[in-house]
């Protein structure tokens, strides 16, 4: 994207989009001008892109989806645990080519420093410094990296979605499972049901709606949660590296299993 006409993107709202549950809900709450999916060539980005392209054919909420294909190959710096250091900094810099308000689906349960408010403020300052008034950016730009859902847990987001669209628990669970995917190991296009994103999503929906969505996974997450696993999770979620209120909600749901 060369010689961007900044007048055409001034004031536009951009949501960095992966197709996961959190960003799906935020899209439905925010109605941004651009949904930006960046294919960073990570271990699961190709599957995410494939699922998004299929959903775009029938999902009206994806009408503003933009897919960036020509991007850095981040598989070269992807760790064994799928963490890509500084990924969100790269993503936000790219998102600034599409609008002035950049939303990333950071929530209360995110512990990485590239999803905290300090990072959002630092990126805001950096972008406004880069795009200040100059010979190539007349008048400058006023850019905001907005982590407005940082205080929300997954359960909060689900409940906000239910309330906005006046949905039942069953309707909410079905919509979220059919229109979002977060998985490290898809099985023939279905989420595996046993990786961290799958199990946390299953617990969040169960806790917020009371609905067991196990039939949507390749392996029912309930089979993963043996008594020993539940005890391990409770110990971890109550330990020093817990996720605050989101951990409290996870523990409450685990105790119902």
């Amino acid at each position: 994207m060369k010689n961007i006409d900044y007048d055409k993107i001034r004031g536009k709202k951009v949501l960095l989009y992966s197709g996961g549950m959190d960003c799906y809900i935020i899209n439905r709450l925010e109605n941004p001008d651009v949904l930006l999916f960046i294919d960073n060539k990570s271990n699961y980005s190709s599957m995410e892109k494939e699922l998004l392209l299929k959903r775009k054919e029938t999902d009206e909420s994806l009408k503003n989806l933009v897919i960036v294909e020509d991007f850095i190959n981040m598989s070269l710096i992807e760790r064994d645990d799928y963490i890509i250091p500084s990924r969100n900094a790269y993503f936000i810099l790219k998102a600034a080519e599409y609008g002035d308000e950049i939303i990333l689906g950071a929530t209360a349960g995110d512990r990485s420093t590239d999803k905290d408010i300090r990072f959002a403020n630092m990126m805001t300052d950096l972008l406004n410094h880069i795009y200040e008034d100059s010979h190539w950016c007349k008048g400058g730009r006023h850019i905001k990296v907005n982590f407005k859902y940082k205080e929300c847990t997954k359960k909060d987001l689900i409940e906000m979605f239910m309330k906005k669209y006046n949905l039942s628990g069953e309707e909410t669970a079905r919509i979220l499972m059919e229109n979002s995917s977060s998985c490290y190991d898809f099985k023939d296009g279905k989420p595996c049901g046993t990786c961290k994103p799958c199990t946390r999503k299953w617990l969040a929906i169960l806790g917020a709606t009371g609905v067991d969505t196990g039939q949507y996974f390749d392996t029912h997450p309930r089979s993963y949660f043996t008594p020993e696993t539940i005890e391990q999770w409770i110990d971890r979620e109550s330990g020093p590296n817990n996720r605050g209120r989101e951990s409290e909600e996870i523990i409450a749901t685990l105790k119902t299993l």
Side-chain angles (χ1 to χ4, degrees), residues 17 19-20 24 55 59 174-181 201:
Y17 200 77
Y24 174 79
R55 288 183 181 136
D59 187 348
R174 177 186 59 78
I175 290 170
L176 294 179
M177 290 306 305
E178 291 180 354
N179 294 283
S180 69
S181 295
K201 179 179 182 179

Side-chain angles (χ1 to χ4, degrees), residues 21 25 153-160 162 168-170 172-173 176-177 198-214 217 220-222 225 233 245-257:
M21 181 175 71
I25 293 175
T153 64
K154 291 183 184 299
K155 184 179 179 183
D156 290 335
L157 287 177
I158 294 169
E159 291 173 346
M160 291 165 70
M162 290 175 66
S168 68
E170 290 284 351
T172 301
L176 294 179
M177 290 306 305
C198 282
T199 49
R200 296 185 76 84
K201 179 179 182 179
W202 180 73
L203 287 170
I205 294 175
L206 180 62
T209 68
V211 177
D212 182 344
T213 56
F217 297 91
H220 196 304
R222 186 63 186 85
F225 283 108
W233 270 60
R245 193 159 55 86
E246 183 154 306
S247 284
E248 294 174 4
E249 293 172 356
I250 288 172
I251 291 171
T253 303
L254 287 169
K255 289 181 176 179
T256 69
L257 300 182

Side-chain angles (χ1 to χ4, degrees), residues 218-233:
D218 183 70
T219 298
H220 196 304
R222 186 63 186 85
S223 65
Y224 163 84
F225 283 108
T226 64
E228 293 77 16
T229 303
I230 291 172
E231 184 177 348
Q232 291 171 2
W233 270 60

Side-chain angles (χ1 to χ4, degrees), residues 87-125:
R87 178 190 64 174
N88 289 326
Y90 284 100
F91 281 8
I92 288 169
L93 289 170
K94 187 65 178 177
E97 297 177 8
Y98 294 85
D100 288 343
E101 181 181 355
I102 301 164
I103 301 176
L104 187 145
T107 62
D110 291 318
R111 295 172 295 187
S112 57
T113 52
D114 66 347
K115 283 190 173 183
D116 65 20
I117 297 300
R118 183 184 178 195
F119 171 77
N121 291 337
M122 291 171 72
M123 289 301 297
T124 295
D125 290 343

